[in-house]
Amino acid sequence: MLRSLPVEVVRGIRLTLVFALLTGILYPLFVTGVSQVVFHEQANGSLISDKTGQVVGSRLIGQWFDPQDLRYFHPRPSATVDPATGSPLPYAANNSAGSNLGPGNQVLISRIQAQIDVIMATEYGIPNDGVPVDMVTADFSGVDPHISVASARIQAVRVARVRGLDPGKVEALVDKYTDGRSLRVFGQPGVNVLELNLALDNGEAG
């Protein structure tokens, strides 16, 4: 048995090197190559560029738009904070998190009511059944790139008025940048806020 030990050790080293080559080099290169060819945009971060070609963000990560700037569609609230200071910093992509506040938490209730007050003061044509829930609540990641179609349609009225645009063209732009259900089954349709606002700035609605 001891005589065969060197042979077994050499065999084990060879197998280790073979599997290291296969799983550590060849397989990753194969997967990377396929993804670059078949899913090039997704493999490189689903990046979004402005009309000058400058990369301004990703389709997968939301960005904050100042709620006081009424020219733009606004994303849903975000509970992310600055990891260095702990101060609120909406859409901090380096510190994705939710608020972890329960529905009976008074802090959350007060925050939602304050958000409703702002919406009622700035938006037009709020439906009789109330404000869409995503307009007043944060999601679990804090960096959701989408808003609901209902939220976008409410905001479209305000954006069209402030920018002096045809409401119908702004509504059509909302439709254009609405993403459907994942695999046509999961989730709900959503509107990508960054893409929609870039389209506005690019004059797609006039």
Side-chain angles (χ1 to χ4, degrees):
M1 183 174 180
L2 291 177
R3 290 180 181 179
S4 66
L5 184 60
V7 176
E8 298 296 334
V9 170
V10 171
R11 186 176 296 166
I13 292 174
R14 286 177 178 174
L15 284 173
T16 300
L17 292 176
V18 168
F19 278 103
L21 177 64
L22 288 174
T23 62
I25 298 177
L26 296 181
Y27 177 73
L29 285 176
F30 172 75
V31 172
T32 301
V34 170
S35 64
Q36 286 293 331
V37 173
V38 182
F39 304 106
H40 180 76
E41 180 186 353
Q42 294 89 334
N44 289 284
S46 300
L47 301 179
I48 299 175
S49 301
D50 61 16
K51 58 185 177 182
T52 67
Q54 176 70 34
V55 174
V56 295
S58 167
R59 296 188 73 254
L60 306 177
I61 302 176
Q63 293 188 22
W64 184 240
F65 286 85
D66 186 353
Q68 296 183 356
D69 192 342
L70 302 182
R71 299 173 301 159
Y72 291 103
F73 286 85
H74 301 143
R76 64 187 303 171
S78 169
T80 58
V81 299
D82 187 330
T85 65
S87 301
L89 183 62
Y91 285 81
N94 62 338
N95 193 32
S96 173
S99 69
N100 293 324
L101 299 177
N105 188 288
Q106 189 56 49
V107 174
L108 179 62
I109 294 172
S110 298
R111 183 184 299 171
I112 290 175
Q113 186 57 57
Q115 190 70 23
I116 291 174
D117 293 341
V118 170
I119 291 171
M120 298 302 292
T122 57
E123 304 294 351
Y124 307 92
I126 303 296
N128 294 331
D129 56 354
V131 174
V133 67
D134 67 302
M135 293 187 77
V136 296
T137 57
D139 78 308
F140 67 93
S141 71
V143 291
D144 189 351
H146 294 93
I147 55 177
S148 67
V149 176
S151 172
R153 294 206 182 285
I154 290 173
Q155 296 188 59
V157 180
R158 183 244 310 151
V159 170
R161 288 193 183 189
V162 173
R163 288 179 176 256
L165 299 173
D166 180 352
K169 291 184 177 181
V170 177
E171 289 272 359
L173 209 59
V174 168
D175 293 336
K176 179 179 179 180
Y177 290 99
T178 296
D179 297 326
R181 299 172 184 265
S182 297
L183 302 177
R184 300 190 178 187
V185 176
F186 302 106
Q188 297 294 328
V191 183
N192 192 290
V193 179
L194 178 58
E195 286 188 314
L196 183 55
N197 284 334
L198 282 175
L200 284 170
D201 284 346
N202 290 341
E204 291 189 30

